[in-house]
Amino acid sequence: MAESYRRSQWSNGLFILPYLSVFAVLLVFPLFWGAWLSLHKVDLFGPGRFVGLGNYTRVLADPVFLQALRNSIIFVLVSVPALVILGLFLALALNKTTRTTSFLRGLFFSSSVLSVTIVTLIWRFVFIPGDGLLAVISEQFGIQPVNFLSTSGWSLFSVGVATVWWCLGLPMMLFLAALQQIPNDLYEAAALDNASPWRVLTRVTLPSIARTIMLVTIIQIVMQFQLFGQAQIMTNGGPNGTSRPLVMYIYEVGFVRWDVGKAAAASEFLFLIILVAAMAQYVISSRKSEVSE
Amino acid sequence: MGFNGAGSPFQRERQTMRRFLLSTAALIALACATSAQAQTKIELQRFFGACDADYGKVTDVSKAVGECGIITSLINKFEADNPDIDVNVTTVEWPGYDQLNAQLASGAAPDVVSMHYSAISDYQSRGLIDPIDDVLSAQGISPDSFTDAARGGVTKEGHLFGLPFDNWTMLFHVNLNLMKQAGLVNADGTPILPTSAEELIAQGKQFKEKTGKPYLVQILANETAAYARVLYTLLQQQNADFFADPTKITLNTPEAKNVVELMKKIKDEGLTTTGLDYAASVTSFTNGDGGIAVNGTWLIGDFVAQSEKEGTALSGGYTVYPVPQLYPGRDSTYADGHSWVMPHKDRTPEQTEAIGKLFKFLAENDFQWARTGHLPAVKAVFAMPEFKALPHRENIAEIAETGRSLPGAVQRQFAIQDIIGEEVGAAVNGDKSIDEALGSAESRINDLLANI
């Protein structure tokens, strides 16, 4: 460590300059610009006027914002565990090197490469009343079909189903990569001790991939708080705003109502929420590893 | 000719090659230059859908059906008639204002854009679109050639800010085959339509009893526009001046409550389809799943085409009427329209002239556009025998007098429509009480308008 530090030169930093400049222009600058906009009464087309924290008080007093915030939190609380558990389950089931498992891995990952438009179109065929798959099936069984996309509760649920189906590939792949890193001698030792499969899972497999579980959880929390396309295309946030996520609120305020300052203030709240969620996960994960050491 | 002279076979070959390359390059440059000189390019951005597979090469406009087919073949025809003008069309998802906003914000706006009359005040008040009075007068188009409703829709502060293209409203598209089955057809073959809210419910029940199907086919899911248009229409019919001050809406009124109560009753009694979005509601009506589709003028052409085909649910049994007068106040129906505007940007005089020619062509061919079902924006079209011969136009001609838009000074009409659609939808679906929904809609809209 000390040797490499002595040999390091400032000019080595030039290697990260290309990345750093793109990072600064496309991420750091917009971050601060967004914060600056949130302090102004401004539309999309010109200079605004400084209003201090006025936009923040307007956002917090807006019942539609609070509803969207609640929707986003519920969505994350339901979709992230589903993605982690299903992803882990698929990875465990497909952690073999046979032809069938390779094919199935590809199959389960394939939904991730589709665009949001295709995904929502497919699920619209499933959920739409009248000619939709679920409507047809429930009519076959003589059950009154549910209007999934226009009933409170069901609409957000439907968006969640489409999202889990779409996003499942990445968690599965990350878990598979982690599972293949576990040294085989651990399993051999467990086999010699006559450990049951459940015991192997809970005492060997899961502890070995704990960091990956945490990583997947953080990635999914950050991603699912940014839910937008599926909700906009499938339900348009309805009915009664019950499936409107935070990003859709920001989009509506900024682009449909041209109230960019207020939208920027709402974005800062979203940024803060994602930051806190990610930091909390990070703190918990680092504390756990200390205990185990 | 010595070996070292300029004319050695090797050198000669190289020279020939160089000359060949140079002349080719010059030719290419010349070709580019002449094509650039010859063709004036204008960027046109529109909604109305994409249908290049069917109409990409069609220049015979009379063969086209529907909004997309007609506008696509109109532009094709214009390009064929004017080989010196290249119209580059970009099709955007309806209504396309997000994309336009982004383009305007980044200084990359197209030359001509389709825009609703109801959206013009947003862009005009911020100086984002240019007045087109001079462009029209250069082509000899008089503003007087447009109908009052169309001219009013694009006129702001005494200037025309767009070429008016049509006026449109929501209509009652009637499946006469089902109405006959329900006993709701007069001896002369015209449908029996309600003349009051009570009659609407009664006829709806009769229809449902006789046919087992819902009376109305409405767009009640994933869209807000339909709720807002019905509310505006039925408020106008009660003489409710809900935008007496264009910066403030009044919705907590008995009139508004009447309307939402009626809409809720229609849903609660099972007299309407539920859960259908725009596309599904159109399919549902053409499949014969309900008696009357509450939808726009733009579908007349498509539905007529369906009714002329054998074996469809509408075969020989389609007609269309304005939304009937359900309240004694006055006969009125909410109307809007489509126009072509010019975003504010630098253009060459050639481009401006080309746009003028395009506007002239579109105005001259407004009859073709009126075949979609929209009411013409050009007065003279009403007198054309071809227009009079179009099916069902006499039924809806009265809209020229009864069509009313929101006051021209009301801004953010699309955002207002979204709020109304969401809140009224919540009341109709029983997620909120009617009073709560109207109160919430009013305060949300007034907050929006107070913060422009």
Side-chain angles (χ1 to χ4, degrees):
Chain A
M1 186 79 174
E3 175 68 11
S4 68
Y5 179 76
R6 261 201 306 280
R7 279 193 298 165
S8 73
Q9 291 170 21
W10 68 269
S11 55
N12 294 353
L14 286 176
F15 284 108
I16 61 159
L17 199 63
Y19 170 75
L20 209 60
S21 48
V22 173
F23 178 76
V25 171
L26 295 182
L27 281 163
V28 181
F29 171 65
L31 186 70
F32 286 102
W33 197 27
W36 178 247
L37 280 176
S38 73
L39 303 174
H40 289 76
K41 172 88 203 103
V42 60
D43 67 12
L44 288 161
F45 310 108
R49 69 190 154 80
F50 187 76
V51 290
L53 295 174
N55 286 326
Y56 288 89
T57 49
R58 279 177 63 214
V59 165
L60 288 177
D62 188 347
V64 183
F65 170 78
L66 299 176
Q67 186 193 30
L69 178 64
R70 196 169 56 239
N71 292 342
S72 279
I73 292 174
I74 292 172
F75 186 80
V76 168
L77 287 179
V78 176
S79 67
V80 172
L83 280 162
V84 172
I85 293 168
L86 282 175
L88 185 61
F89 174 78
L90 284 179
L92 287 169
L94 301 177
N95 189 25
K96 294 172 195 117
T97 45
T98 66
R99 264 192 203 166
T100 323
T101 53
S102 314
F103 173 73
L104 287 174
R105 277 183 215 170
L107 193 69
F108 286 119
F109 191 75
S110 62
S111 64
S112 307
V113 303
L114 299 175
S115 82
V116 65
T117 326
I118 309 284
V119 171
T120 47
L121 201 64
I122 293 170
W123 284 96
R124 198 175 159 275
F125 289 142
V126 176
F127 288 123
I128 199 83
D131 302 327
L133 180 68
L134 286 176
V136 171
I137 292 175
S138 44
E139 269 164 20
Q140 287 288 325
F141 288 97
I143 308 163
Q144 180 71 23
V146 179
N147 285 341
F148 284 97
L149 302 179
S150 56
T151 308
S152 294
W154 282 115
S155 59
L156 193 61
F157 170 81
S158 310
V159 171
V161 171
T163 305
V164 169
W165 182 82
W166 186 33
C167 298
L168 197 55
L170 181 67
M172 183 191 73
M173 281 299 171
L174 289 173
F175 283 131
L176 269 171
L179 288 174
Q180 286 169 8
Q181 296 291 318
I182 304 174
N184 219 16
D185 42 2
L186 287 180
Y187 289 109
E188 280 169 17
L192 286 174
D193 289 344
N194 229 356
S196 68
W198 177 251
R199 219 173 155 75
V200 173
L201 176 72
T202 52
R203 293 299 166 92
V204 178
T205 310
L206 291 184
S208 308
I209 60 166
R211 281 178 175 278
T212 306
I213 296 177
M214 208 45 81
L215 174 78
V216 169
T217 312
I218 294 172
I219 291 176
Q220 290 305 327
I221 288 176
V222 171
M223 270 176 68
Q224 301 315 331
F225 260 118
Q226 297 175 51
L227 166 72
F228 174 59
Q230 305 94 297
Q232 207 220 2
I233 304 175
M234 285 175 74
T235 67
N236 203 8
N240 193 19
T242 49
S243 63
R244 178 193 284 114
L246 263 185
V247 180
M248 193 167 159
Y249 171 85
I250 293 165
Y251 153 77
E252 286 178 357
V253 171
F255 289 89
V256 183
R257 300 185 191 162
W258 303 12
D259 201 343
V260 171
K262 190 180 176 189
S267 312
E268 295 304 318
F269 279 116
L270 177 64
F271 173 68
L272 212 66
I273 292 166
I274 294 179
L275 192 70
V276 167
M279 292 310 285
Q281 295 290 339
Y282 179 74
V283 169
I284 293 166
S285 64
S286 49
R287 196 179 296 159
K288 260 189 182 166
S289 64
E290 277 165 20
V291 170
S292 63
E293 278 163 16
Chain B
M1 221 180 266
F3 249 105
N4 293 329
S8 77
F10 227 49
Q11 276 185 326
R12 224 179 309 156
E13 201 172 287
R14 265 168 57 186
Q15 269 177 357
T16 322
M17 184 57 105
R18 190 183 299 160
R19 215 172 295 145
F20 173 73
L21 283 175
L22 277 175
S23 53
T24 314
L27 264 176
I28 291 170
L30 200 69
C32 289
T34 41
S35 77
Q37 269 172 2
Q39 283 218 310
T40 308
K41 194 170 182 178
I42 49 177
E43 303 283 338
L44 180 141
Q45 185 163 299
R46 63 165 180 84
F47 43 86
F48 305 127
C51 49
D52 283 339
D54 293 328
Y55 293 101
K57 300 253 184 292
V58 176
T59 52
D60 183 356
V61 185
S62 63
K63 293 261 175 10
V65 180
E67 280 183 315
C68 184
I70 293 175
I71 189 64
T72 306
S73 46
L74 271 174
I75 302 289
N76 291 346
K77 177 83 167 63
F78 175 75
E79 283 190 297
D81 291 354
N82 297 274
D84 55 330
I85 300 174
D86 176 18
V87 184
N88 192 14
V89 178
T90 307
T91 311
V92 292
E93 173 86 4
W94 183 92
Y97 299 130
D98 295 346
Q99 196 160 343
L100 178 64
N101 293 345
Q103 289 165 321
L104 285 166
S106 61
D111 294 301
V112 181
V113 183
S114 59
M115 187 174 281
H116 294 93
Y117 299 162
S118 54
I120 289 180
S121 59
D122 288 355
Y123 294 88
Q124 178 269 334
S125 62
R126 284 295 269 117
L128 297 166
I129 53 175
D130 288 332
I132 64 159
D133 311 67
D134 295 343
V135 178
L136 293 185
S137 66
Q139 298 292 327
I141 306 171
S142 159
D144 296 333
S145 61
F146 302 113
T147 64
D148 292 349
R151 200 176 57 239
V154 296
T155 305
K156 307 284 162 191
E157 295 171 7
H159 295 284
L160 265 67
F161 277 87
L163 174 82
F165 205 32
D166 61 43
N167 268 113
W168 56 255
T169 64
M170 296 298 262
L171 298 168
F172 266 29
H173 298 272
V174 184
N175 181 334
L176 278 172
N177 298 334
L178 285 173
M179 290 291 269
K180 263 180 215 146
Q181 212 179 314
L184 287 170
V185 174
N186 291 309
D188 62 355
T190 55
I192 299 172
L193 294 174
T195 56
S196 67
E198 295 72 35
E199 265 188 40
L200 179 96
I201 298 291
Q203 293 180 6
K205 284 182 178 165
Q206 180 182 336
F207 185 94
K208 197 184 166 194
E209 249 166 53
K210 297 271 174 68
T211 64
K213 293 179 175 180
Y215 179 57
L216 299 180
V217 180
Q218 298 190 88
I219 316 158
L220 297 187
N222 208 348
E223 207 200 70
T224 52
Y227 287 104
R229 291 170 191 159
V230 171
L231 178 74
Y232 293 157
T233 296
L234 298 182
L235 281 176
Q236 288 170 351
Q237 292 189 357
Q238 299 177 82
N239 284 320
D241 196 2
F242 51 101
F243 259 122
D245 170 0
T247 61
K248 208 166 179 293
I249 197 170
T250 321
L251 278 182
N252 236 333
T253 58
E255 290 87 359
K257 207 172 164 182
N258 286 342
V259 177
V260 184
E261 271 171 359
L262 174 65
M263 291 165 86
K264 184 166 165 51
K265 192 162 186 197
I266 291 170
K267 196 236 167 194
D268 290 349
E269 301 272 358
L271 307 181
T272 179
T273 55
T274 55
L276 301 184
D277 62 10
Y278 176 83
S281 80
V282 174
T283 318
S284 172
F285 180 67
T286 48
N287 287 345
D289 295 342
I292 296 172
V294 187
N295 214 321
T297 43
W298 51 88
L299 287 167
I300 296 178
D302 290 316
F303 288 158
V304 167
Q306 285 278 322
S307 72
E308 286 165 354
K309 267 189 220 158
E310 288 290 318
T312 68
L314 296 177
S315 292
Y318 166 74
T319 189
V320 60
Y321 285 87
V323 174
Q325 184 181 349
L326 298 179
Y327 296 96
R330 63 177 166 179
D331 195 3
S332 185
T333 187
Y334 168 72
D336 196 352
H338 300 120
S339 66
W340 298 98
V341 302
M342 291 171 64
H344 180 68
K345 66 184 275 194
D346 291 332
R347 293 181 182 85
T348 63
E350 289 79 23
Q351 281 179 317
T352 309
E353 202 199 334
I355 295 170
K357 280 184 185 167
L358 175 67
F359 281 179
K360 188 169 189 223
F361 175 82
L362 291 173
E364 281 170 351
N365 286 283
D366 203 35
F367 160 71
Q368 295 293 350
W369 184 244
R371 289 198 300 111
T372 55
H374 293 308
L375 290 169
V378 176
K379 265 189 218 165
V381 176
F382 282 96
M384 286 169 71
E386 297 98 311
F387 178 73
K388 287 182 179 160
L390 287 174
H392 315 304
R393 294 312 193 275
E394 70 282 6
N395 298 352
I396 59 162
E398 62 164 88
I399 289 172
E401 275 91 54
T402 60
R404 279 179 191 82
S405 53
L406 297 188
V410 177
Q411 292 194 34
R412 306 291 186 273
Q413 292 189 26
F414 269 75
I416 292 171
Q417 175 178 290
D418 283 346
I419 295 174
I420 288 182
E422 187 175 316
E423 295 291 346
V424 172
V428 170
N429 290 315
D431 295 326
K432 261 183 190 174
S433 76
I434 293 173
D435 288 327
E436 202 185 334
L438 287 171
S440 169
E442 185 179 288
S443 64
R444 282 175 67 187
I445 292 167
N446 288 338
D447 175 64
L448 158 72
L449 291 175
N451 284 291
I452 285 177

